[in-house]
């Protein structure tokens, strides 16, 4: 891979990381409190008013909001990939269940899959599909 191509790959990864970090940072209560304190500075001293309005109206709206939008787009792509993976897994499980002979085997299969997922502690974090996929990979 050429140096230029490696540079662009590195730059894209860095931009994606920055956008994801911005979404996490800007959607925290810490950020809310900081913006609240920032917005109250002119109440303490009128000399702050121009700076507060400039930074709030200029920098935050023109830079931070598009950065957050990019980060949300990246998160949306990741959620789409995860949903597609879960969908494919559930189709596999459905086909496996259809191949079982009687209702008792189906129930035992479902219980075994859920039990393995709960033992691994995956169901609360990943949902059923993610837990089953992890269990099937073992």
């Amino acid at each position: 891979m050429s140096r230029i191509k490696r540079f662009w790959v590195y730059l894209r990864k860095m931009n994606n990381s920055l956008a994801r970090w911005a979404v996490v940072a800007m959607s925290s209560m810490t950020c809310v409190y900081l913006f609240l304190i920032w917005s109250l500075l002119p109440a303490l001293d009128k000399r702050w008013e121009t700076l507060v309005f400039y930074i709030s109206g200029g920098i935050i709206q023109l830079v931070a909001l598009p950065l957050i939008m990019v980060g949300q787009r990246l998160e949306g792509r990741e959620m789409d990939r995860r949903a597609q993976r879960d969908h494919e897994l559930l189709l596999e499980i459905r086909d496996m269940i259809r191949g079982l002979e009687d209702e008792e085997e189906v129930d035992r299969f479902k219980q075994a899959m859920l039990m393995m997922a709960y033992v691994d502690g995956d169901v609360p974090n990943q949902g059923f599909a993610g837990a089953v996929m992890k269990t099937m990979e073992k």
Side-chain angles (χ1 to χ4, degrees), residues 19-20 23 27 65-79:
R20 284 189 180 106
V23 168
S27 62
L65 293 178
L67 183 62
I68 290 171
M69 290 169 42
V70 170
Q72 287 177 334
R73 189 183 80 225
L74 292 172
E75 286 181 351
R77 283 185 194 160
E78 182 61 34
M79 288 181 0

Side-chain angles (χ1 to χ4, degrees), residues 12-31:
R12 185 175 58 238
K13 286 180 181 181
M14 186 184 70
N15 287 338
N16 291 348
S17 296
L18 177 64
R20 284 189 180 106
W21 176 84
V23 168
V24 170
M26 296 289 237
S27 62
S28 68
M29 282 306 295
T30 303
C31 188

Side-chain angles (χ1 to χ4, degrees), residues 2-138:
S2 71
R3 286 184 179 183
I4 295 173
K5 186 166 179 129
R6 277 187 291 188
F7 171 75
W8 286 112
V9 168
Y10 172 76
L11 188 62
R12 185 175 58 238
K13 286 180 181 181
M14 186 184 70
N15 287 338
N16 291 348
S17 296
L18 177 64
R20 284 189 180 106
W21 176 84
V23 168
V24 170
M26 296 289 237
S27 62
S28 68
M29 282 306 295
T30 303
C31 188
V32 171
Y33 293 137
L34 289 174
F35 283 160
L36 176 65
I37 292 168
W38 179 253
S39 68
L40 294 175
L41 283 178
L44 298 174
D45 190 353
K46 290 291 182 191
R47 292 179 292 176
W48 286 94
E49 192 171 54
T50 305
L51 181 65
V52 168
F53 288 151
Y54 172 74
I55 290 177
S56 300
I59 295 173
I60 292 174
Q61 288 182 8
L62 295 175
V63 176
L65 293 178
L67 183 62
I68 290 171
M69 290 169 42
V70 170
Q72 287 177 334
R73 189 183 80 225
L74 292 172
E75 286 181 351
R77 283 185 194 160
E78 182 61 34
M79 288 181 0
D80 289 345
R81 277 190 227 116
R82 195 175 309 130
Q84 181 63 32
R85 190 180 69 226
D86 286 353
H87 176 72
E88 291 168 2
L89 171 70
L90 290 173
L91 289 177
E92 259 184 64
I93 292 171
R94 182 196 63 187
D95 293 342
M96 289 172 70
I97 289 174
R98 284 184 178 167
L100 298 176
E101 294 296 321
D102 61 9
E103 196 65 34
E104 195 173 301
E105 282 184 358
V106 171
D107 287 341
R108 276 190 301 221
F109 176 78
K110 288 179 183 176
Q111 288 174 355
M113 294 302 281
L114 261 178
M115 201 175 300
M116 285 188 285
Y118 273 111
V119 166
D120 291 341
D122 294 328
V123 171
N125 299 331
Q126 299 175 343
F128 179 71
V132 170
M133 184 168 67
K134 211 170 186 190
T135 301
M136 291 177 72
E137 290 172 354
K138 292 179 180 177

